[in-house]
Amino acid sequence: MSHPATAAIEVVNLSHAFGSRWAVRNASFVVPQGSLHGFVGPNGAGKTTTLKSICTLLIPHSGTIRVLGLDVVSQSHEVRRRLGFMPDHFSMYRRMTVFEYLDFFAAAYGIPLAQRDKVIDEVLVLTDMDGRRDELVGGLSRGMQQRVALSRVLVSDPDVLLLDEPASGLDPRARIELMEILRELKRMGKTIFVSSHILSELAELCDSVTIIDSGRIKYNGSIAGLLKRPTTHAGFRIGLAAGSPDATERLSGLPGVITCSRLEGTDEYRVEMVQRPDAGNQLLKEVIALGIQVHSFGEDRRHLNEAFMDLTTGGVG
């Protein structure tokens, strides 16, 4: 976890309830400045409540939240100037052109008339929407409307972006293109906080992640650290000589091995065994003792989905 002095977002003991149901309980986590940070959890886990609390739309029942060192309750006006929020479900003024829509929000942000054209042009180039500036918002595809919504957030040039399920409902191409825009924003030095269920994309997109389940934080740190978290099982990949006879059956019979499977189209095998400090050394020793020629041997990095399933049980309803 990053030191709070370098934090773009610092949440300490956040709690919020709706009636008798706690949406978030004593949640604490840090988002480093300049990071592309994933916020992951099952439906009803408390993600949207947390996002709304960070962007000053909800006043927390207890706990503190700071954005770039600013308190979201006592310094809410300053926080809003530094932060941009794109909700999962956003309203679009469908009879406006893309330019008119962005110009409206630029005026709402207090950007002087003389600067608006330049600001909007720069944002449209960044989101690859400059060729659509005179088209009606209502005639655009879902993916294009997502870009317009992101452009609206970027008009005020925020330092921190909060994006709630930004790829929801997008086709694969639109999703990939959106993720590349987010990478470019990170390269520009912005902090991007992305709430999403698309775990495989977060593993490739984000450098750090927070996992929330039933309103409580289960993990906050780097993607690499999450993938290395200890579990009851240890995984290894073993490359064997081509045509090793009965390799799957023979590996499966070794002490401590739980499962063994061949990776399709290769002579590599994934072996899962009971976790213990010397699991790798013991497995390699046992394989060599079988008389099978080993070409490669190493730890099998756990996928983000596996880590997520280990840490979560479901939402809060």
Side-chain angles (χ1 to χ4, degrees):
M1 184 180 290
S2 297
H3 191 276
T6 64
I9 300 170
E10 181 189 3
V11 177
V12 180
N13 296 328
L14 171 67
S15 294
H16 195 91
F18 296 97
S20 61
R21 183 179 68 84
W22 288 97
V24 183
R25 290 295 301 267
N26 298 319
S28 297
F29 62 90
V30 169
V31 178
Q33 282 195 49
S35 66
L36 216 167
H37 191 90
F39 191 45
V40 191
N43 287 328
K47 299 191 302 298
T48 298
T49 298
T50 303
L51 282 171
K52 288 184 176 180
S53 299
I54 294 170
C55 70
T56 77
L57 293 178
L58 279 178
I59 298 177
H61 288 157
S62 64
T64 60
I65 304 173
R66 291 187 176 274
V67 175
L68 299 170
L70 301 168
D71 185 87
V72 299
V73 176
S74 63
Q75 298 172 289
S76 60
H77 187 70
E78 293 89 340
V79 168
R80 290 171 187 170
R81 289 188 176 278
R82 306 289 299 277
L83 184 150
F85 175 50
M86 189 173 88
D88 183 10
H89 301 288
F90 48 85
S91 298
M92 306 291 285
Y93 301 140
R94 301 176 62 83
R95 295 187 180 183
M96 285 184 172
T97 65
V98 171
F99 178 84
E100 289 170 340
Y101 180 80
L102 297 180
D103 186 62
F104 173 82
F105 280 99
Y109 283 124
I111 298 174
L113 180 62
Q115 297 179 19
R116 281 185 218 157
D117 281 7
K118 181 175 183 296
V119 169
I120 293 171
D121 285 345
E122 289 175 350
V123 168
L124 288 175
V125 169
L126 179 61
T127 56
D128 199 22
M129 288 292 289
D130 47 317
R132 307 280 187 136
R133 59 178 284 144
D134 297 320
E135 295 186 25
L136 290 176
V137 171
L140 299 175
S141 67
R142 168 74 176 176
M144 294 296 107
Q145 288 186 357
Q146 285 281 60
R147 291 196 198 185
V148 173
L150 181 59
S151 298
R152 188 266 299 167
V153 171
L154 293 172
V155 161
S156 63
D157 193 24
D159 298 304
V160 180
L161 301 177
L162 301 182
L163 311 179
D164 192 4
E165 300 284 355
S168 175
L170 300 187
D171 62 54
R173 181 180 181 85
R175 186 176 293 130
I176 291 169
E177 291 171 346
L178 175 63
M179 296 305 161
E180 187 50 47
I181 292 171
L182 298 185
R183 290 188 181 96
E184 178 60 28
L185 290 169
K186 180 182 184 296
R187 287 191 284 268
M188 293 169 61
K190 297 189 182 297
T191 302
I192 306 168
F193 187 71
V194 185
S195 171
S196 178
H197 291 96
I198 307 171
L199 303 177
S200 58
E201 285 182 352
L202 285 186
E204 299 172 6
L205 181 71
C206 296
D207 43 53
S208 55
V209 66
T210 296
I211 292 179
I212 185 171
D213 181 41
S214 300
R216 298 181 185 275
I217 302 302
K218 300 296 185 177
Y219 179 81
N220 175 231
S222 68
I223 291 287
L226 173 62
L227 294 174
K228 291 178 180 177
R229 282 175 64 88
T231 66
T232 57
H233 296 176
F236 300 93
R237 284 197 180 189
I238 306 175
L240 303 180
S244 298
D246 305 320
T248 302
E249 184 178 340
R250 296 173 75 187
L251 292 174
S252 297
L254 293 176
V257 171
I258 301 168
T259 63
C260 175
S261 58
R262 182 175 179 175
L263 301 180
E264 188 175 353
T266 74
D267 288 302
E268 281 195 322
Y269 296 79
R270 187 183 192 280
V271 176
E272 188 176 27
M273 61 188 304
V274 175
Q275 178 68 281
R276 60 186 186 188
D278 64 340
N281 290 337
Q282 188 62 39
L283 176 62
L284 182 57
K285 186 185 300 183
E286 296 284 353
V287 173
I288 293 174
L290 290 176
I292 303 175
Q293 187 175 356
V294 178
H295 286 174
S296 63
F297 182 88
E299 184 180 0
D300 187 49
R301 286 190 63 192
R302 301 172 60 236
H303 191 273
L304 184 60
N305 283 0
E306 294 178 54
F308 178 75
M309 294 304 291
D310 283 347
L311 291 169
T312 61
T313 57
V316 293

